[in-house]
Structures are given as C-alpha cells and as structure tokens.
C-alpha cells in the first residue's frame, strides 16, 4: 500500500532503529470522556536524560486508528511516527493551549507491521520534574472487516446489512437493502452506478451496492428510484443539486407518471404526454431557471452549455439548437433537458467526454443531497447563497472526477452552508405541484408531426 512520506523530516538511522524500545498493547477497554479505545500501550519514566531514549516501536494493524499522547514537564517536541524503514509518515500539530502535552490524533496505520514513534520528551535542565510518558491508544473498530458478497436474483430481493463489508448486487427486480440505524447515521456516496454506504455509529462495515432500488433504515425508507433523473433535471434547469424535499417530491411525481428513467426518453415524452410536459415546463418557467438562462436564443443556448457541460457549444451545435428553438420545434422549457440528454447519447469524442461529465455531475449532486441529511443541513440549503455554493461545486467537476475522492470537497461544501435555517426555498412557488390537475403552461412543444431532432454537440 502506498502512503505519503514526510520528506522534510529526517529519517531514522539504522542505529536509532536498533535502539528503539518495544511497546506492548494491553487489552483493556479505555474510556476518557467521549473517547473509547480497545487497547493501550504505555511508557513512563522519571529517569534523567529520558529524552535521549524516547523512540519506541509498536506492532501496528492496518486500518486501526491510533491516538498518541506525549507528556513531559516542558512542552514536548513533535510526536513523529515512522514506518518500518525509518521514514516519517505522520507528525502532530502543536497546540499552544496544551503546554506539557502533544497529541497526534486519529493516525490510521497504512499497513500491518512494525512502526516507530518518537515521543519528543522535553525534561529541561533541572533536577526535578523529570516525569515523562507516552500513551498510544488503539481503536480496533476501524480495522478492516471481512467481506461478505450478496447477490440477488431476477425477482425482488431484500438484503440485511451485516457487520462485514458487504458487496451487494441486486441484479433484477426491485431490491431492498436494510440497515439497523437511522438514516442520518449513514454516509451515502454515489459513484456512477455504485453506492458506498458506511456509518461510524452502527459499525456495520462499508458496503458497496449495485442495482439496489430501496434503502430501509430504522426511521424510514429511502427510494433510490428516479434519483439520477431528478438530479439531472436540477442540473439542467438550476445548475445545482436537488434539495431533499425537491428530490423526494419529484421522485414521487415521476413514479406516479410511470416516467422513463432516462433524460432522453423523458424529453421525447414531452410532446406526447401532457403531464410530462407540465412537469418540464414548470422547471423551465421557474424564476430560478429564467434567472440562470436569460437573453436571446443564442445567449440562452450558450448559457445552458456552460452550465451543464462547462463549455461553449461548437458552432454547429450552437446553430442546431438555436434553429430548433427559433423554429418552434423545440421549446426553451424542453431545451435544457434535451441538451443534457444529447450529451448523454452523443458518441463523438466530445460527446463521450460530455457524457462522463454529466455522469460525474449527477454523482456529485447526489452526494451533496445525501450529505444534507447525514450532516443535518437540509434546512440550511435554502436561498440564493446556498444555491450558489452547490453551483460552484458542480462547476468544479470534470469528466475525470472520481466521486469517491471528490467526496471530501462535497463534505466541505455541505459543512459550509449556514447553520441557521432560512425561510421556505425561494423557488418553491415556481416548481410543479405534487398533482398534475392544473392547466399546462402555454408553451409551444415539439411538433408531433416532426421527428425528434437528432442531438448534436
């Protein structure tokens, strides 16, 4: 396994490694306030010149989290952790309020084997106050768990999460994965067609899911159906991730319409289904979408491309979409979704790159919305400011973005939302009602006598 080496710190010499004192972990459960550890290794001394002998070795376990404390009368120098070759791989950060103690928190062992820790004791020159100590606490709950593979059938299947790291493929049917904890206890990360689910609370391992349509938690169920399509609509019309209420509402509405799951098929249904037309028109006619896409037709098309695909359209694409809108064969309301759908099906070199970008944006948008619930920020995602945070996040996504590694950026964006809830979402009155019993917005749709236009870059 590869791990970062701190090249700016001097490596240990062979002589220093040979003189390191071995520490032994004891199997007593240790609790200190909010902390709880499974093992502890200790070194304590009152001998003078102990600072010359403050290098220790210990047997590490890959994936286990270690909290390391060093105490001496004068503030210790840095705690340093070295690998089995004597290369520095971790160092504590000095905190001025903790004079007399250094603390290296949550060091995760990158491999199983010998490691070295330098306590950095500082006894000073006096003959008194020589006491110094080193304590290493281990949390075994973070160690890798066995992998459990669960495979579904062509029929509906229900799976129960185990203490192992579960790899689940539901295959056919409407499949369900059930968890023992509350929804907010779990982190859900989408990457393409796969989901990774974990919880620091329930200790059920880290699960990888494919073809799972429903998640069940102790406080309710979570429908994954139409999640991608709903996020695609929010990206196409608002340039941002869906809020929790909007996500669940539109998933329900799309299900009630028995709508297709793809943007391409939904856009094609626009001219044939009044309810679908009402839904898409409502997105396109919203104040938020109009503010994002204003100006003449060419300006509108360029704005959609830059919002959805992070680029200007090629000249042929600009002419194609402008002509389709100006001729009346395509409404502005349906154009945003059609351009996104075209990017997902275009097989040119540029089209394939655009398709990857859209897929990654849907994954990141989904993870942002999941994070709102996990981090208790659902009420904070209201108004222009938070919407701008989500737009900026999606603008930073590229066709090569890996949603798993990008998750730290998503978490920072969610954490940066205001803590004080605001009033109802500014766009609430612009979005479709849950029932489609109102009149459709009077916009010209695709001509039912003309074949749907082929999508172009």
């Amino acid at each position: 396994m590869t791990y970062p080496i701190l090249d700016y710190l001097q490596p240990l010499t062979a002589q220093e490694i040979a003189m390191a004192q071995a520490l032994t972990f004891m199997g007593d459960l240790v609790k200190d306030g909010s902390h709880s550890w499974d093992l502890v290794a200790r070194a304590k001394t009152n001998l003078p010149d102990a600072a010359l002998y403050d290098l220790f070795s210990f047997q590490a376990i890959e994936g286990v989290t270690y909290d390391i404390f060093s105490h001496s009368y004068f503030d210790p120098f840095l705690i340093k952790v070295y690998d089995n070759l004597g290369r520095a791989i971790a160092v504590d950060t000095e905190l001025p309020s903790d004079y007399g103690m250094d603390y290296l928190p949550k060091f995760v062992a990158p491999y199983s084997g010998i490691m070295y820790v330098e306590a950095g004791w500082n006894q000073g020159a006096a003959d008194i106050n020589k006491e110094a100590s080193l304590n290493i606490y281990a949390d075994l709950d973070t160690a890798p768990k066995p992998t459990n593979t669960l495979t579904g059938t062509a029929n509906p299947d229900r799976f129960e999460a185990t203490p192992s790291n579960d790899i689940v493929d539901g295959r056919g049917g409407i499949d369900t994965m059930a968890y023992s904890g509350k929804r907010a206890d779990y982190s859900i990360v989408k990457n393409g067609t796969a989901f990774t689910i974990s919880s620091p609370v329930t200790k059920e391992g880290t699960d990888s899911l494919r073809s799972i349509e429903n998640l069940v938690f102790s406080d309710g169920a979570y429908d994954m159906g139409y999640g991608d399509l709903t996020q695609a609509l929010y990206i196409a019309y608002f340039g941002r991730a869906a809020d929790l209420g909007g996500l669940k509402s539109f998933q329900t509405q799309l299900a009630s319409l028995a709508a297709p799951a793809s943007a391409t098929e939904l856009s094609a249904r626009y001219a044939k289904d009044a309810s679908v037309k009402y839904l898409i028109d409502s997105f396109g006619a919203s104040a938020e979408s109009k503010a994002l896409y204003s100006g003449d037709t060419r300006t509108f098309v360029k704005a959609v491309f830059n919002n959805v695909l992070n680029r200007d359209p090629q000249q042929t694409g600009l002419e194609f979409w402008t002509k389709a809108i100006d001729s009346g064969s395509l409404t502005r309301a349906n154009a945003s979704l059609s351009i996104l759908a075209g990017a997902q099906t275009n097989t040119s070199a540029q089209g394939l790159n655009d398709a990857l970008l859209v897929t990654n944006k849907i994954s990141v948008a989904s993870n942002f919305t999941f994070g709102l619930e996990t981090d208790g920020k659902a009420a904070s995602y209201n108004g222009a400011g938070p919407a701008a945070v989500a737009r900026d996040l999606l603008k930073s996504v590229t066709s090569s973005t890996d949603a798993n590694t990008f998750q730290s950026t998503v978490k920072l964006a969610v954490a940066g939302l205001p803590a004080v809830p605001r009033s109802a979402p500014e766009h609430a009155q612009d979005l479709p009602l849950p029932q489609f019993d109102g009149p459709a917005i009077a916009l010209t749709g695709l001509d039912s006598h003309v074949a749907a236009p082929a999508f172009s870059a």
Side-chain angles (χ1 to χ4, degrees), residues 294-321:
S294 58
D296 61 21
T297 305
R298 296 175 71 86
T299 302
F300 168 83
V301 171
K302 288 181 179 180
V304 173
F305 265 78
N306 277 281
N307 175 58
V308 175
L309 303 177
N310 298 348
R311 66 176 179 86
D312 284 329
Q314 297 173 5
Q315 188 61 34
T316 54
L318 176 61
E319 297 298 333
F320 172 84
W321 293 108

PDB file of all heavy atoms in Angstrom, residues 294-321:
ATOM      1  N   SER A 294     -31.047  33.639 -19.422  1.00  0.00           N
ATOM      2  CA  SER A 294     -31.766  34.797 -19.953  1.00  0.00           C
ATOM      3  C   SER A 294     -31.151  35.196 -21.290  1.00  0.00           C
ATOM      4  O   SER A 294     -30.196  34.575 -21.773  1.00  0.00           O
ATOM      5  CB  SER A 294     -31.685  35.963 -18.962  1.00  0.00           C
ATOM      6  OG  SER A 294     -30.342  36.315 -18.695  1.00  0.00           O
ATOM      7  N   GLY A 295     -31.690  36.252 -21.906  1.00  0.00           N
ATOM      8  CA  GLY A 295     -31.138  36.739 -23.170  1.00  0.00           C
ATOM      9  C   GLY A 295     -31.783  36.111 -24.379  1.00  0.00           C
ATOM     10  O   GLY A 295     -32.755  35.356 -24.291  1.00  0.00           O
ATOM     11  N   ASP A 296     -31.228  36.424 -25.574  1.00  0.00           N
ATOM     12  CA  ASP A 296     -31.773  35.873 -26.819  1.00  0.00           C
ATOM     13  C   ASP A 296     -31.440  34.394 -26.923  1.00  0.00           C
ATOM     14  O   ASP A 296     -30.789  33.809 -26.050  1.00  0.00           O
ATOM     15  CB  ASP A 296     -31.262  36.649 -28.026  1.00  0.00           C
ATOM     16  CG  ASP A 296     -29.747  36.601 -28.174  1.00  0.00           C
ATOM     17  OD1 ASP A 296     -29.103  35.684 -27.609  1.00  0.00           O
ATOM     18  OD2 ASP A 296     -29.192  37.486 -28.851  1.00  0.00           O
ATOM     19  N   THR A 297     -31.881  33.770 -28.021  1.00  0.00           N
ATOM     20  CA  THR A 297     -31.756  32.329 -28.140  1.00  0.00           C
ATOM     21  C   THR A 297     -30.297  31.861 -28.118  1.00  0.00           C
ATOM     22  O   THR A 297     -29.957  30.879 -27.438  1.00  0.00           O
ATOM     23  CB  THR A 297     -32.432  31.835 -29.435  1.00  0.00           C
ATOM     24  OG1 THR A 297     -33.790  32.281 -29.458  1.00  0.00           O
ATOM     25  CG2 THR A 297     -32.417  30.318 -29.505  1.00  0.00           C
ATOM     26  N   ARG A 298     -29.428  32.521 -28.830  1.00  0.00           N
ATOM     27  CA  ARG A 298     -28.025  32.112 -28.867  1.00  0.00           C
ATOM     28  C   ARG A 298     -27.388  32.249 -27.479  1.00  0.00           C
ATOM     29  O   ARG A 298     -26.621  31.377 -27.050  1.00  0.00           O
ATOM     30  CB  ARG A 298     -27.262  32.946 -29.897  1.00  0.00           C
ATOM     31  CG  ARG A 298     -27.737  32.738 -31.329  1.00  0.00           C
ATOM     32  CD  ARG A 298     -27.037  33.689 -32.297  1.00  0.00           C
ATOM     33  NE  ARG A 298     -25.638  33.345 -32.486  1.00  0.00           N
ATOM     34  CZ  ARG A 298     -25.195  32.460 -33.382  1.00  0.00           C
ATOM     35  NH1 ARG A 298     -26.058  31.830 -34.169  1.00  0.00           N
ATOM     36  NH2 ARG A 298     -23.917  32.207 -33.501  1.00  0.00           N
ATOM     37  N   THR A 299     -27.722  33.343 -26.788  1.00  0.00           N
ATOM     38  CA  THR A 299     -27.210  33.532 -25.431  1.00  0.00           C
ATOM     39  C   THR A 299     -27.743  32.444 -24.508  1.00  0.00           C
ATOM     40  O   THR A 299     -27.019  31.910 -23.654  1.00  0.00           O
ATOM     41  CB  THR A 299     -27.609  34.917 -24.897  1.00  0.00           C
ATOM     42  OG1 THR A 299     -27.093  35.925 -25.771  1.00  0.00           O
ATOM     43  CG2 THR A 299     -27.074  35.138 -23.489  1.00  0.00           C
ATOM     44  N   PHE A 300     -29.020  32.099 -24.675  1.00  0.00           N
ATOM     45  CA  PHE A 300     -29.651  31.045 -23.887  1.00  0.00           C
ATOM     46  C   PHE A 300     -28.937  29.706 -24.092  1.00  0.00           C
ATOM     47  O   PHE A 300     -28.594  29.008 -23.131  1.00  0.00           O
ATOM     48  CB  PHE A 300     -31.124  30.935 -24.278  1.00  0.00           C
ATOM     49  CG  PHE A 300     -31.823  29.712 -23.749  1.00  0.00           C
ATOM     50  CD1 PHE A 300     -32.332  29.690 -22.460  1.00  0.00           C
ATOM     51  CD2 PHE A 300     -31.967  28.586 -24.548  1.00  0.00           C
ATOM     52  CE1 PHE A 300     -32.976  28.561 -21.977  1.00  0.00           C
ATOM     53  CE2 PHE A 300     -32.611  27.449 -24.075  1.00  0.00           C
ATOM     54  CZ  PHE A 300     -33.120  27.441 -22.782  1.00  0.00           C
ATOM     55  N   VAL A 301     -28.692  29.341 -25.349  1.00  0.00           N
ATOM     56  CA  VAL A 301     -28.047  28.055 -25.649  1.00  0.00           C
ATOM     57  C   VAL A 301     -26.634  28.012 -25.055  1.00  0.00           C
ATOM     58  O   VAL A 301     -26.222  27.008 -24.458  1.00  0.00           O
ATOM     59  CB  VAL A 301     -28.011  27.803 -27.172  1.00  0.00           C
ATOM     60  CG1 VAL A 301     -27.149  26.577 -27.495  1.00  0.00           C
ATOM     61  CG2 VAL A 301     -29.425  27.619 -27.716  1.00  0.00           C
ATOM     62  N   LYS A 302     -25.896  29.100 -25.209  1.00  0.00           N
ATOM     63  CA  LYS A 302     -24.544  29.147 -24.648  1.00  0.00           C
ATOM     64  C   LYS A 302     -24.576  28.998 -23.129  1.00  0.00           C
ATOM     65  O   LYS A 302     -23.732  28.317 -22.541  1.00  0.00           O
ATOM     66  CB  LYS A 302     -23.860  30.460 -25.031  1.00  0.00           C
ATOM     67  CG  LYS A 302     -23.450  30.556 -26.495  1.00  0.00           C
ATOM     68  CD  LYS A 302     -22.747  31.882 -26.778  1.00  0.00           C
ATOM     69  CE  LYS A 302     -22.303  31.986 -28.226  1.00  0.00           C
ATOM     70  NZ  LYS A 302     -21.620  33.292 -28.491  1.00  0.00           N
ATOM     71  N   ALA A 303     -25.565  29.628 -22.497  1.00  0.00           N
ATOM     72  CA  ALA A 303     -25.666  29.555 -21.036  1.00  0.00           C
ATOM     73  C   ALA A 303     -25.955  28.132 -20.580  1.00  0.00           C
ATOM     74  O   ALA A 303     -25.384  27.651 -19.590  1.00  0.00           O
ATOM     75  CB  ALA A 303     -26.750  30.509 -20.537  1.00  0.00           C
ATOM     76  N   VAL A 304     -26.830  27.438 -21.309  1.00  0.00           N
ATOM     77  CA  VAL A 304     -27.140  26.049 -20.955  1.00  0.00           C
ATOM     78  C   VAL A 304     -25.891  25.173 -21.102  1.00  0.00           C
ATOM     79  O   VAL A 304     -25.580  24.357 -20.224  1.00  0.00           O
ATOM     80  CB  VAL A 304     -28.290  25.509 -21.822  1.00  0.00           C
ATOM     81  CG1 VAL A 304     -28.496  24.019 -21.565  1.00  0.00           C
ATOM     82  CG2 VAL A 304     -29.577  26.273 -21.552  1.00  0.00           C
ATOM     83  N   PHE A 305     -25.178  25.328 -22.201  1.00  0.00           N
ATOM     84  CA  PHE A 305     -23.966  24.534 -22.411  1.00  0.00           C
ATOM     85  C   PHE A 305     -22.938  24.782 -21.304  1.00  0.00           C
ATOM     86  O   PHE A 305     -22.338  23.842 -20.782  1.00  0.00           O
ATOM     87  CB  PHE A 305     -23.360  24.848 -23.789  1.00  0.00           C
ATOM     88  CG  PHE A 305     -23.774  23.903 -24.870  1.00  0.00           C
ATOM     89  CD1 PHE A 305     -25.030  24.011 -25.465  1.00  0.00           C
ATOM     90  CD2 PHE A 305     -22.928  22.895 -25.295  1.00  0.00           C
ATOM     91  CE1 PHE A 305     -25.423  23.133 -26.464  1.00  0.00           C
ATOM     92  CE2 PHE A 305     -23.310  22.013 -26.298  1.00  0.00           C
ATOM     93  CZ  PHE A 305     -24.566  22.127 -26.884  1.00  0.00           C
ATOM     94  N   ASN A 306     -22.739  26.045 -20.963  1.00  0.00           N
ATOM     95  CA  ASN A 306     -21.747  26.355 -19.938  1.00  0.00           C
ATOM     96  C   ASN A 306     -22.171  25.845 -18.565  1.00  0.00           C
ATOM     97  O   ASN A 306     -21.329  25.425 -17.768  1.00  0.00           O
ATOM     98  CB  ASN A 306     -21.479  27.861 -19.893  1.00  0.00           C
ATOM     99  CG  ASN A 306     -20.475  28.306 -20.932  1.00  0.00           C
ATOM    100  OD1 ASN A 306     -19.274  28.155 -20.760  1.00  0.00           O
ATOM    101  ND2 ASN A 306     -20.976  28.845 -22.038  1.00  0.00           N
ATOM    102  N   ASN A 307     -23.465  25.870 -18.314  1.00  0.00           N
ATOM    103  CA  ASN A 307     -23.957  25.380 -17.036  1.00  0.00           C
ATOM    104  C   ASN A 307     -23.896  23.863 -16.950  1.00  0.00           C
ATOM    105  O   ASN A 307     -23.409  23.314 -15.952  1.00  0.00           O
ATOM    106  CB  ASN A 307     -25.397  25.848 -16.824  1.00  0.00           C
ATOM    107  CG  ASN A 307     -26.007  25.260 -15.571  1.00  0.00           C
ATOM    108  OD1 ASN A 307     -25.504  25.442 -14.476  1.00  0.00           O
ATOM    109  ND2 ASN A 307     -27.100  24.529 -15.742  1.00  0.00           N
ATOM    110  N   VAL A 308     -24.340  23.181 -17.985  1.00  0.00           N
ATOM    111  CA  VAL A 308     -24.431  21.718 -17.960  1.00  0.00           C
ATOM    112  C   VAL A 308     -23.101  21.060 -18.321  1.00  0.00           C
ATOM    113  O   VAL A 308     -22.682  20.092 -17.675  1.00  0.00           O
ATOM    114  CB  VAL A 308     -25.545  21.238 -18.918  1.00  0.00           C
ATOM    115  CG1 VAL A 308     -25.578  19.712 -18.988  1.00  0.00           C
ATOM    116  CG2 VAL A 308     -26.899  21.777 -18.477  1.00  0.00           C
ATOM    117  N   LEU A 309     -22.400  21.604 -19.340  1.00  0.00           N
ATOM    118  CA  LEU A 309     -21.222  20.939 -19.881  1.00  0.00           C
ATOM    119  C   LEU A 309     -19.916  21.700 -19.646  1.00  0.00           C
ATOM    120  O   LEU A 309     -18.859  21.282 -20.132  1.00  0.00           O
ATOM    121  CB  LEU A 309     -21.404  20.696 -21.382  1.00  0.00           C
ATOM    122  CG  LEU A 309     -22.648  19.890 -21.778  1.00  0.00           C
ATOM    123  CD1 LEU A 309     -22.754  19.774 -23.285  1.00  0.00           C
ATOM    124  CD2 LEU A 309     -22.629  18.518 -21.120  1.00  0.00           C
ATOM    125  N   ASN A 310     -19.985  22.807 -18.947  1.00  0.00           N
ATOM    126  CA  ASN A 310     -18.783  23.595 -18.603  1.00  0.00           C
ATOM    127  C   ASN A 310     -18.014  24.082 -19.832  1.00  0.00           C
ATOM    128  O   ASN A 310     -16.793  24.248 -19.782  1.00  0.00           O
ATOM    129  CB  ASN A 310     -17.817  22.783 -17.710  1.00  0.00           C
ATOM    130  CG  ASN A 310     -18.434  22.399 -16.387  1.00  0.00           C
ATOM    131  OD1 ASN A 310     -19.491  22.890 -16.014  1.00  0.00           O
ATOM    132  ND2 ASN A 310     -17.759  21.519 -15.657  1.00  0.00           N
ATOM    133  N   ARG A 311     -18.714  24.310 -20.926  1.00  0.00           N
ATOM    134  CA  ARG A 311     -18.037  24.770 -22.148  1.00  0.00           C
ATOM    135  C   ARG A 311     -19.031  25.471 -23.057  1.00  0.00           C
ATOM    136  O   ARG A 311     -20.256  25.316 -22.915  1.00  0.00           O
ATOM    137  CB  ARG A 311     -17.403  23.601 -22.892  1.00  0.00           C
ATOM    138  CG  ARG A 311     -18.405  22.594 -23.463  1.00  0.00           C
ATOM    139  CD  ARG A 311     -17.711  21.505 -24.276  1.00  0.00           C
ATOM    140  NE  ARG A 311     -18.639  20.527 -24.812  1.00  0.00           N
ATOM    141  CZ  ARG A 311     -19.300  20.635 -25.953  1.00  0.00           C
ATOM    142  NH1 ARG A 311     -19.149  21.733 -26.708  1.00  0.00           N
ATOM    143  NH2 ARG A 311     -20.120  19.686 -26.376  1.00  0.00           N
ATOM    144  N   ASP A 312     -18.497  26.247 -24.007  1.00  0.00           N
ATOM    145  CA  ASP A 312     -19.329  26.814 -25.065  1.00  0.00           C
ATOM    146  C   ASP A 312     -19.677  25.720 -26.075  1.00  0.00           C
ATOM    147  O   ASP A 312     -18.899  24.764 -26.264  1.00  0.00           O
ATOM    148  CB  ASP A 312     -18.585  27.932 -25.797  1.00  0.00           C
ATOM    149  CG  ASP A 312     -18.527  29.214 -24.986  1.00  0.00           C
ATOM    150  OD1 ASP A 312     -19.465  29.472 -24.202  1.00  0.00           O
ATOM    151  OD2 ASP A 312     -17.531  29.961 -25.127  1.00  0.00           O
ATOM    152  N   PRO A 313     -20.828  25.831 -26.742  1.00  0.00           N
ATOM    153  CA  PRO A 313     -21.139  24.847 -27.783  1.00  0.00           C
ATOM    154  C   PRO A 313     -20.245  25.061 -28.999  1.00  0.00           C
ATOM    155  O   PRO A 313     -19.773  26.173 -29.266  1.00  0.00           O
ATOM    156  CB  PRO A 313     -22.597  25.155 -28.120  1.00  0.00           C
ATOM    157  CG  PRO A 313     -22.767  26.600 -27.775  1.00  0.00           C
ATOM    158  CD  PRO A 313     -21.888  26.838 -26.588  1.00  0.00           C
ATOM    159  N   GLN A 314     -20.002  23.984 -29.720  1.00  0.00           N
ATOM    160  CA  GLN A 314     -19.337  24.128 -31.012  1.00  0.00           C
ATOM    161  C   GLN A 314     -20.287  24.889 -31.943  1.00  0.00           C
ATOM    162  O   GLN A 314     -21.501  24.933 -31.725  1.00  0.00           O
ATOM    163  CB  GLN A 314     -18.990  22.755 -31.579  1.00  0.00           C
ATOM    164  CG  GLN A 314     -18.011  21.976 -30.712  1.00  0.00           C
ATOM    165  CD  GLN A 314     -17.808  20.558 -31.205  1.00  0.00           C
ATOM    166  OE1 GLN A 314     -18.324  20.159 -32.245  1.00  0.00           O
ATOM    167  NE2 GLN A 314     -17.047  19.782 -30.436  1.00  0.00           N
ATOM    168  N   GLN A 315     -19.753  25.477 -32.988  1.00  0.00           N
ATOM    169  CA  GLN A 315     -20.572  26.323 -33.850  1.00  0.00           C
ATOM    170  C   GLN A 315     -21.748  25.555 -34.446  1.00  0.00           C
ATOM    171  O   GLN A 315     -22.874  26.071 -34.510  1.00  0.00           O
ATOM    172  CB  GLN A 315     -19.717  26.921 -34.974  1.00  0.00           C
ATOM    173  CG  GLN A 315     -20.428  27.975 -35.813  1.00  0.00           C
ATOM    174  CD  GLN A 315     -20.862  29.180 -34.990  1.00  0.00           C
ATOM    175  OE1 GLN A 315     -20.186  29.568 -34.046  1.00  0.00           O
ATOM    176  NE2 GLN A 315     -21.998  29.772 -35.366  1.00  0.00           N
ATOM    177  N   THR A 316     -21.493  24.303 -34.865  1.00  0.00           N
ATOM    178  CA  THR A 316     -22.586  23.507 -35.441  1.00  0.00           C
ATOM    179  C   THR A 316     -23.664  23.227 -34.404  1.00  0.00           C
ATOM    180  O   THR A 316     -24.862  23.253 -34.708  1.00  0.00           O
ATOM    181  CB  THR A 316     -22.046  22.176 -35.993  1.00  0.00           C
ATOM    182  OG1 THR A 316     -21.317  21.486 -34.954  1.00  0.00           O
ATOM    183  CG2 THR A 316     -21.138  22.409 -37.185  1.00  0.00           C
ATOM    184  N   GLY A 317     -23.234  22.957 -33.174  1.00  0.00           N
ATOM    185  CA  GLY A 317     -24.200  22.717 -32.112  1.00  0.00           C
ATOM    186  C   GLY A 317     -24.993  23.961 -31.771  1.00  0.00           C
ATOM    187  O   GLY A 317     -26.212  23.912 -31.546  1.00  0.00           O
ATOM    188  N   LEU A 318     -24.309  25.095 -31.739  1.00  0.00           N
ATOM    189  CA  LEU A 318     -24.986  26.361 -31.452  1.00  0.00           C
ATOM    190  C   LEU A 318     -26.054  26.646 -32.506  1.00  0.00           C
ATOM    191  O   LEU A 318     -27.189  27.025 -32.172  1.00  0.00           O
ATOM    192  CB  LEU A 318     -23.962  27.490 -31.397  1.00  0.00           C
ATOM    193  CG  LEU A 318     -24.511  28.904 -31.192  1.00  0.00           C
ATOM    194  CD1 LEU A 318     -25.254  29.002 -29.860  1.00  0.00           C
ATOM    195  CD2 LEU A 318     -23.389  29.928 -31.274  1.00  0.00           C
ATOM    196  N   GLU A 319     -25.700  26.457 -33.769  1.00  0.00           N
ATOM    197  CA  GLU A 319     -26.658  26.707 -34.845  1.00  0.00           C
ATOM    198  C   GLU A 319     -27.830  25.729 -34.780  1.00  0.00           C
ATOM    199  O   GLU A 319     -28.993  26.100 -35.005  1.00  0.00           O
ATOM    200  CB  GLU A 319     -25.959  26.603 -36.204  1.00  0.00           C
ATOM    201  CG  GLU A 319     -24.868  27.639 -36.429  1.00  0.00           C
ATOM    202  CD  GLU A 319     -25.389  29.061 -36.398  1.00  0.00           C
ATOM    203  OE1 GLU A 319     -26.593  29.274 -36.706  1.00  0.00           O
ATOM    204  OE2 GLU A 319     -24.608  29.974 -36.047  1.00  0.00           O
ATOM    205  N   PHE A 320     -27.528  24.466 -34.488  1.00  0.00           N
ATOM    206  CA  PHE A 320     -28.571  23.437 -34.436  1.00  0.00           C
ATOM    207  C   PHE A 320     -29.619  23.759 -33.378  1.00  0.00           C
ATOM    208  O   PHE A 320     -30.826  23.789 -33.648  1.00  0.00           O
ATOM    209  CB  PHE A 320     -27.931  22.075 -34.158  1.00  0.00           C
ATOM    210  CG  PHE A 320     -28.934  20.981 -33.901  1.00  0.00           C
ATOM    211  CD1 PHE A 320     -29.518  20.299 -34.945  1.00  0.00           C
ATOM    212  CD2 PHE A 320     -29.297  20.642 -32.595  1.00  0.00           C
ATOM    213  CE1 PHE A 320     -30.445  19.294 -34.714  1.00  0.00           C
ATOM    214  CE2 PHE A 320     -30.228  19.646 -32.358  1.00  0.00           C
ATOM    215  CZ  PHE A 320     -30.801  18.965 -33.418  1.00  0.00           C
ATOM    216  N   TRP A 321     -29.152  24.016 -32.141  1.00  0.00           N
ATOM    217  CA  TRP A 321     -30.092  24.250 -31.046  1.00  0.00           C
ATOM    218  C   TRP A 321     -30.806  25.599 -31.197  1.00  0.00           C
ATOM    219  O   TRP A 321     -31.998  25.707 -30.891  1.00  0.00           O
ATOM    220  CB  TRP A 321     -29.354  24.181 -29.711  1.00  0.00           C
ATOM    221  CG  TRP A 321     -28.850  22.802 -29.390  1.00  0.00           C
ATOM    222  CD1 TRP A 321     -27.571  22.365 -29.410  1.00  0.00           C
ATOM    223  CD2 TRP A 321     -29.649  21.673 -29.029  1.00  0.00           C
ATOM    224  NE1 TRP A 321     -27.501  21.029 -29.081  1.00  0.00           N
ATOM    225  CE2 TRP A 321     -28.768  20.577 -28.835  1.00  0.00           C
ATOM    226  CE3 TRP A 321     -31.016  21.461 -28.847  1.00  0.00           C
ATOM    227  CZ2 TRP A 321     -29.204  19.306 -28.471  1.00  0.00           C
ATOM    228  CZ3 TRP A 321     -31.464  20.191 -28.459  1.00  0.00           C
ATOM    229  CH2 TRP A 321     -30.551  19.140 -28.287  1.00  0.00           C
TER     230      TRP A 321
END
